[in-house]
Amino acid sequence: MRHRLNFVQKNCVASAGKLLHQSGTLFAGARIGVAVSGGVDSAVLLEVLRQRQRILPFPIELLCFHINPGFDFELHLKLRDWAASLGLAGVFERTEFGPRAFSEENRSNSPCFLCSSWRRTRLFDLCRQYGCTHLALGHHADDQAVTFFMNLFDNGRVDGLAPVESFFQGRLQVIRPLLWLEKSQLRRAARAWGLPVFENPCPASKEDAQGLALSNRARTTQWIREQVGGDPARKANVYNALRRHALARGARMPGGVVEES
């Protein structure tokens, strides 16, 4: 028996559906690898895609991919069991990417950059191995803002996240169905669905003794919250501007998606 969705659940499903429809990226027989991390974002992403799978007028297939960075030796097993309870297959593996990124082996990059790069490469490998046409990531509107300002401040680039990106001469589409939704909405939806959410064991997710974030991404998140957190209109202006920027960026590319070699 299916339970009726509340407002925030419906909004998440509808927002993702509208974005996917506008991008025109899904088609009959699409095989989507869903990157699940154990956090709230990817949990909602998986549930939203399951809801869309029931609504779509054509069949799509969902697979779960989890790359355990190695800080919690059992996280991949917990996510494997959750996916199995939903009737979903996938790959759930533990790596040493996290500890290696924080070790002496890494002398030139930030630990977060190196760990995420290795995990992204492995996800691409899995998509190729299992014939996926899409890789779904759980980035949301707050991630969009943080990425934009990190690129601006640290790299001198005006650039953010795209709803859809094309890789490997179009053989794989990276999609971000939750990109127009805020983190607070995802948290409420996760509670309403009763989704399992696991604590992030990464050292970079912690704070120092003064309560300051350790990672650059977390510090940028704090800065944005200080600038717009208390003013809903100001926050809406920032997020709406970044949405328009992302749409304009995609519209400039063939097929409305961003090509990347």
Side-chain angles (χ1 to χ4, degrees):
M1 179 179 178
R2 296 180 188 173
H3 298 286
R4 296 185 63 178
L5 303 182
N6 66 18
F7 174 80
V8 71
Q9 290 169 308
K10 289 180 180 178
N11 186 49
C12 288
V13 174
S15 176
K18 183 177 181 180
L19 190 154
L20 290 170
H21 176 73
Q22 289 175 333
S23 69
T25 184
L26 293 187
F27 50 82
R31 172 175 275 200
I32 304 174
V34 185
V36 293
S37 66
V40 64
D41 310 336
S42 62
V44 173
L45 171 67
L46 181 59
E47 182 58 33
V48 163
L49 288 175
R50 291 178 68 233
Q51 296 285 334
R52 298 305 311 176
Q53 187 180 36
R54 300 188 186 111
I55 297 171
L56 286 170
F58 50 78
I60 62 172
E61 184 178 358
L62 301 178
L63 297 174
C64 292
F65 294 147
H66 170 69
I67 311 301
N68 185 341
F71 297 114
D72 179 343
F73 289 171
E74 296 185 352
L75 181 57
H76 58 295
L77 302 177
K78 299 171 186 175
L79 291 172
R80 181 198 63 187
D81 293 344
W82 176 47
S85 73
L86 301 176
L88 295 174
V91 177
F92 305 84
E93 60 185 33
R94 181 170 66 85
T95 71
E96 296 297 324
F97 292 162
R100 285 175 59 194
F102 278 90
S103 73
E104 288 298 314
E105 177 183 352
N106 177 22
R107 296 178 180 272
S108 57
N109 295 300
S110 75
C112 296
F113 174 85
L114 197 58
C115 181
S116 63
S117 178
W118 283 337
R119 285 185 287 121
R120 183 185 179 98
T121 298
R122 182 58 183 148
L123 287 171
F124 282 173
D125 289 342
L126 290 174
C127 286
R128 181 168 53 250
Q129 181 179 349
Y130 289 91
C132 291
T133 56
H134 299 75
L135 173 63
L137 304 178
H139 295 127
H140 46 76
D142 302 70
D143 290 325
Q144 170 76 297
V146 171
T147 300
F148 178 87
F149 285 109
M150 285 180 66
N151 279 329
L152 185 65
F153 296 147
D154 300 335
N155 303 318
R157 293 190 302 148
V158 178
D159 198 10
L161 298 170
V164 183
E165 291 182 280
S166 180
F167 289 84
F168 312 117
Q169 291 75 51
R171 292 191 297 274
L172 180 69
Q173 304 291 322
V174 171
I175 57 176
R176 299 180 173 93
L178 307 182
L179 199 56
W180 303 156
L181 295 162
E182 296 182 27
K183 180 86 169 187
S184 59
Q185 296 172 291
L186 303 186
R187 289 196 181 103
R188 294 199 301 272
R191 288 195 297 268
W193 270 310
L195 301 178
V197 176
F198 303 96
E199 181 181 358
N200 185 357
C202 175
S205 68
K206 312 304 180 184
E207 298 179 345
D208 63 16
Q210 286 72 44
L212 299 176
L214 295 178
S215 73
N216 189 23
R217 176 165 289 273
R219 288 193 298 272
T220 306
T221 300
Q222 288 182 338
W223 178 84
I224 295 172
R225 189 177 299 119
E226 291 168 359
Q227 300 303 311
V228 303
D231 189 337
R234 196 176 187 192
K235 181 179 181 180
N237 286 338
V238 171
Y239 281 37
N240 288 336
L242 292 176
R243 179 187 297 192
R244 290 192 295 270
H245 175 266
L247 291 173
R249 174 190 174 195
R252 289 194 296 270
M253 304 306 297
V257 298
V258 178
E259 297 287 339
E260 182 165 333
S261 58

